[in-house]
Amino acid sequence: METRELDPLFDPSSLAIVGASPDSWYSSRITEHLTDYGYDGEHYLVNPNRERAWDRRCYDAIADLPEVVDLAVVVVPREHVVDVVREAGEVGVPAALVITTGFSEADEQGAELEAELEATAANYDISVAGPNCIGLANAQAGTVLTGLCSREPEPGQIGLASQSGALSFATFFENAADEDTHFSHIVSTGNEVDQSLVDYVEYMAADPDVEVICTYIEGVTEPRRFIEVARETVATGTPVLAVKVGSSDVAQAAAESHTGSLTGNDAVWDAAFGQAGIERLPDVPDLTSRAQAHAAFDPPDSNRVCVASTSGGLATLLADLAEDRGLDLPQLADGTEKTLLEMEDLLTFGELHNPVDIRAQGAEVLPDVAETLFADDAFDAYVFGIGLSAVDSDADLIADHLLTVAEMTDDPVIFLWTGRREPAELDDPQPYERVRAEYPLFYEPSKAIDALASLVRFDEARDRLVGRPPFELDGRSPSDLPNDATLTWSRATSLLDDYGIDLPATRSASSSEEAARYASRIGTPVVMKVDSPDIAHRNEVGAVRVGVESSAEAQRAYEDIVANVFEHDDEATIEGVLVQEMIEGGVEALVGASQDPNLGPVVTLGSGGTQVEALQDTTHLVAPFGKGDAYGALKRTDLPARFEHEFGPDASLDSLANLITKVGNLVAKRREVAELDLNPVLVRPERSVCVDAFVKTD
């Protein structure tokens, strides 16, 4: 879908509220917000059942308005919505915000109306937000079009697109406003009959006032486009944070393949988010707290962090949390330590380390401590933990000091204030409130460190994604593979050969005498296995022999394999018995692929062999992808450690990264391949060989 211009939706110079009535709770709240919150455009009321409301004229229809408005806000019963949008389209209104509920989320009649609304939007080229949405707000432009907003939004630099209407304003907006955290845009996406979450992310990413984009996701109608838009957004410097709910059970996969049984929808979403540089978060407070940091700071130049706290215990806790999240805590330079130890007002003695325990008295000279730490070139980010009351008389001085420290450096400085926040006498503003009004302030150690780690991860993701090719799929090409079939070895290897995937030398024997000859030609020992579309797991039916040492043994193995297959299934089709070069040594890996119903071709990799399920170290990549992504995925498995143990620290996994990338190219271009299972792949520094292959088409 081509994204239409959304300025008329978020920044209309004029609008009409269709269904405006003081008797309607929702339309009346929207109308009153326009006046109360300072909307400076012209707004008209449309209601054929009233002559006036709020001392303003009510028009019978959009066509009767004295001008063509930018936006129609539709709050009428569902059976009238399509007619209203059609009328708006006929007179040239470019956008409609449909608040009305009762569509596909309600019943069959609603679903039919929604389909009609979708067709109307396309026919008249009118951008439709909703239906069944709570509304939107653009605080930068002063446009507030929702009934669930108890105060005027202050303009901020955080964009929010939420697939939950109530959460968008009643939770995200209200809770953030309580903490002096402010949004630039908020939109409830509703049923996304026309404009979708992806469109809103793309729109906000192009706005220079938006420093970070938050998303609350229940399901994505255009998943690959969403991933590509998010990837481009991150690569060009705007973080994308996501809470995605509705983690599904393991996706239905074909019963035969290891890959299918290891690939779950939620695991694939994790992989896709990682490839696109989207940071996936567990809960709403994580989203807003990390967004605060992104709105306030540029990412640090490195992950080197200095932690200082008025409490030794808090300092140690922060250090542990930082290391758990991959942050580095270098030691203080000798000169830095000496300067701190010589401070008369700082009750320290002996020696100091990072984390720095400045004790409670350190809060009284915090700017001096900060100046010393900022002068140490070992650090690019800082965390100051204050384990003291945030509301008593001493807290006023601490608040002054924190605000001073905030202005002393351009590096990210995270403030954590864990003391009391409920004062004995409620005087406003409290000291800690003065700080958070100007600067991000955290109350929980984990939230503070998570925010800093989020900055670091974004910088790493942005650097990784710059210059990457688009995350797109070509159209399907005609296939020469049989439909809904398990491929024989010869068909499977022909396909794998086309993509440069390394396979052992193999011959297919149709008699025991041929098996003996092929074993001699290939050179013993060899591996022998049945080639049958009816046998997925050969080991389970005794259809594999490993380490066949002679021609005579090959002849006997052939006969045993055929007998075992027919004992298992007397109607099985046997294409032949494969006589295969025996690859010895190497680390066993699994490389497989399947077609996810949402995200398309997905590659799975991890430890292979007979213990795939037992080891459970698999990870995923959404195809196509580059070699850098393949290396990144390998780091999420046990394979590098096992490989280093086998071949030493200098041995390269390049051959496996190449193979993974080739498999990604294969399933991205040949989407008729429903499942592909290469297990085991024997990995050596010079070569990664697929000694067995299972391929099934759709």
Side-chain angles (χ1 to χ4, degrees):
M1 179 185 69
E2 181 180 350
T3 303
R4 291 186 280 276
E5 176 58 59
L6 293 183
D7 278 344
L9 185 64
F10 283 98
D11 189 15
S13 59
S14 60
L15 60 87
I17 301 175
V18 185
S21 169
D23 300 327
S24 164
W25 183 88
Y26 212 91
S27 70
S28 64
R29 292 286 292 267
I30 292 176
T31 304
E32 290 161 7
H33 287 166
L34 288 171
T35 302
D36 295 345
Y37 298 159
Y39 173 67
D40 59 6
E42 186 64 62
H43 72 276
Y44 302 95
L45 308 182
V46 177
N47 188 334
N49 299 317
R50 304 183 70 96
E51 291 186 0
R52 299 188 67 80
W54 294 283
D55 293 328
R56 298 172 66 92
R57 175 184 173 182
C58 289
Y59 294 85
D60 288 343
I62 292 177
D64 297 333
L65 298 177
E67 63 174 309
V68 177
V69 295
D70 282 343
L71 177 66
V73 182
V74 183
V75 198
V76 299
R78 68 176 184 175
E79 58 268 23
H80 300 301
V81 167
V82 173
D83 289 338
V84 169
V85 173
R86 181 184 296 113
E87 181 187 355
E90 286 173 346
V91 301
V93 175
L97 172 63
V98 181
I99 304 294
T100 305
T101 63
F103 288 84
S104 63
E105 82 284 356
D107 53 29
E108 185 174 342
Q109 182 184 355
E112 292 172 358
L113 288 170
E114 187 168 305
E116 193 176 350
L117 178 59
E118 181 178 8
T120 302
N123 188 42
Y124 289 96
D125 197 31
I126 180 170
S127 296
V128 174
N132 183 36
C133 74
I134 296 299
L136 60 84
N138 178 356
Q140 301 284 1
T143 305
V144 181
L145 298 168
T146 180
L148 290 184
C149 190
S150 68
R151 64 193 107 175
E152 181 177 357
E154 295 183 38
Q157 296 174 303
I158 303 170
L160 170 65
S162 171
Q163 290 183 323
S164 167
L167 280 180
S168 59
F169 284 97
T171 299
F172 281 106
F173 167 73
E174 297 291 0
N175 290 351
D178 284 345
E179 294 295 324
D180 292 305
T181 298
H182 306 296
F183 294 94
S184 58
H185 304 73
I186 303 173
V187 58
S188 157
T189 69
N191 292 8
E192 302 185 19
V193 69
D194 178 51
Q195 298 301 304
S196 69
L197 177 105
V198 190
D199 298 309
Y200 301 130
V201 170
E202 192 169 43
Y203 177 77
M204 289 186 282
D207 190 325
D209 289 328
V210 177
E211 295 289 345
V212 54
I213 298 172
C214 297
T215 58
Y216 182 87
I217 302 171
E218 294 170 352
V220 183
T221 56
E222 301 173 284
R224 291 192 73 97
R225 179 171 167 247
F226 171 67
I227 296 301
E228 173 58 21
V229 166
R231 186 203 65 81
E232 182 64 21
T233 300
V234 173
T236 53
T238 303
V240 179
L241 311 180
V243 171
K244 185 182 183 304
V245 297
S247 301
S248 66
D249 293 330
V250 173
Q252 280 293 332
E256 291 94 350
S257 83
H258 286 305
T259 301
S261 66
L262 293 169
T263 304
N265 277 346
D266 205 52
V268 174
W269 275 110
D270 276 342
F273 283 3
Q275 283 173 253
I278 302 167
E279 184 174 7
R280 186 176 183 181
L281 309 177
D283 201 358
V284 170
D286 301 282
L287 199 66
T288 50
S289 65
R290 296 186 206 188
Q292 279 184 305
H294 285 285
F297 307 115
D298 291 328
D301 292 336
S302 74
N303 70 339
R304 300 190 304 269
V305 179
C306 180
V307 172
S309 175
T310 60
S311 160
L314 181 57
T316 302
L317 173 60
L318 290 168
D320 286 347
L321 292 170
E323 289 189 349
D324 285 345
R325 288 152 178 77
L327 302 178
D328 184 26
L329 276 73
Q331 284 308 306
L332 303 174
D334 291 343
T336 303
E337 182 185 18
K338 183 174 184 294
T339 301
L340 293 173
L341 289 172
E342 290 176 351
M343 283 187 184
E344 292 184 3
D345 295 320
L346 200 61
L347 296 183
T348 58
F349 52 88
E351 56 185 22
L352 287 174
H353 304 283
N354 183 20
V356 187
D357 178 8
I358 61 173
R359 304 176 185 269
Q361 289 79 5
E364 298 179 8
V365 290
L366 198 61
D368 294 331
V369 171
E371 183 178 24
T372 301
L373 296 175
F374 293 159
D376 193 325
D377 293 335
F379 313 113
D380 291 308
Y382 304 84
V383 179
F384 289 94
I386 308 299
L388 302 167
S389 172
V391 293
D392 61 15
S393 58
D394 293 336
D396 270 324
L397 178 62
I398 294 173
D400 290 340
H401 285 342
L402 290 175
L403 292 170
T404 298
V405 169
E407 300 299 319
M408 293 171 61
T409 181
D410 292 329
D411 292 332
V413 179
I414 300 295
F415 291 147
L416 169 69
W417 206 339
T418 63
R420 176 181 176 182
R421 297 201 306 276
E422 185 65 30
E425 297 180 5
L426 292 174
D427 295 326
D428 292 323
Q430 293 300 313
Y432 74 96
E433 292 175 322
R434 290 198 292 114
V435 175
R436 77 179 187 200
E438 303 292 333
Y439 212 70
L441 181 63
F442 300 89
Y443 314 120
E444 299 176 28
S446 60
K447 292 287 190 289
I449 299 299
D450 281 338
L452 180 54
S454 182
L455 292 171
V456 172
R457 282 193 290 266
F458 165 66
D459 194 50
E460 294 169 348
R462 180 181 57 185
D463 290 347
R464 173 172 54 84
L465 293 171
V466 170
R468 289 289 173 93
F471 190 82
E472 295 174 348
L473 288 172
D474 298 330
R476 282 199 180 217
S477 55
S479 175
D480 57 352
L481 298 177
N483 295 331
D484 192 21
T486 299
L487 300 189
T488 62
W489 174 262
S490 60
R491 294 299 295 268
T493 54
S494 175
L495 174 67
L496 298 172
D497 277 338
D498 288 344
Y499 289 87
I501 293 170
D502 197 356
L503 300 158
T506 305
R507 297 289 184 272
S508 179
S510 57
S511 69
S512 60
E513 291 79 13
E514 273 191 334
R517 286 199 303 274
Y518 291 150
S520 178
R521 290 177 188 174
I522 291 173
T524 56
V526 294
V527 176
M528 296 177 62
K529 61 187 76 170
V530 73
D531 186 13
S532 169
D534 300 318
I535 306 297
H537 294 306
R538 302 179 180 98
N539 274 316
E540 294 177 3
V541 299
V544 177
R545 291 290 186 274
V546 177
V548 177
E549 296 285 358
S550 66
S551 298
E553 191 176 339
Q555 194 165 356
R556 291 192 299 272
Y558 178 97
E559 294 166 353
D560 289 344
I561 287 170
V562 171
N564 289 341
V565 169
F566 283 135
E567 184 178 348
H568 172 74
D569 181 357
D570 58 9
E571 295 183 357
T573 298
I574 296 180
E575 299 289 337
V577 173
L578 304 174
V579 183
Q580 193 173 78
E581 170 192 7
M582 185 167 172
I583 309 296
E584 296 187 86
V587 172
E588 291 187 336
L590 172 140
V591 180
S594 59
Q595 299 288 338
D596 182 83
N598 294 308
L599 287 159
V602 175
V603 172
T604 299
L605 60 134
S607 295
T610 59
Q611 299 187 41
V612 173
E613 288 86 356
L615 291 172
Q616 287 293 306
D617 71 332
T618 53
T619 190
H620 310 281
L621 287 164
V622 179
F625 49 81
K627 192 172 173 181
D629 290 314
Y631 265 114
L634 281 171
K635 291 177 182 177
R636 300 194 295 270
T637 73
D638 294 334
L639 287 167
R642 294 176 58 210
F643 194 74
E644 181 177 336
H645 180 267
E646 183 77 15
F647 297 107
D650 297 328
S652 172
L653 271 169
D654 204 55
S655 67
L656 181 55
N658 282 330
L659 184 144
I660 294 165
T661 307
K662 291 172 182 176
V663 170
N665 290 334
L666 187 160
V667 292
K669 293 181 180 297
R670 304 296 298 267
R671 295 203 298 284
E672 69 272 26
V673 175
E675 294 173 67
L676 185 151
D677 196 347
L678 307 178
N679 181 36
V681 175
L682 288 180
V683 184
R684 298 182 60 83
E686 71 280 2
R687 185 183 183 195
S688 290
V689 187
C690 307
V691 299
D692 207 353
F694 172 90
V695 182
K696 187 173 181 179
T697 62
D698 62 14

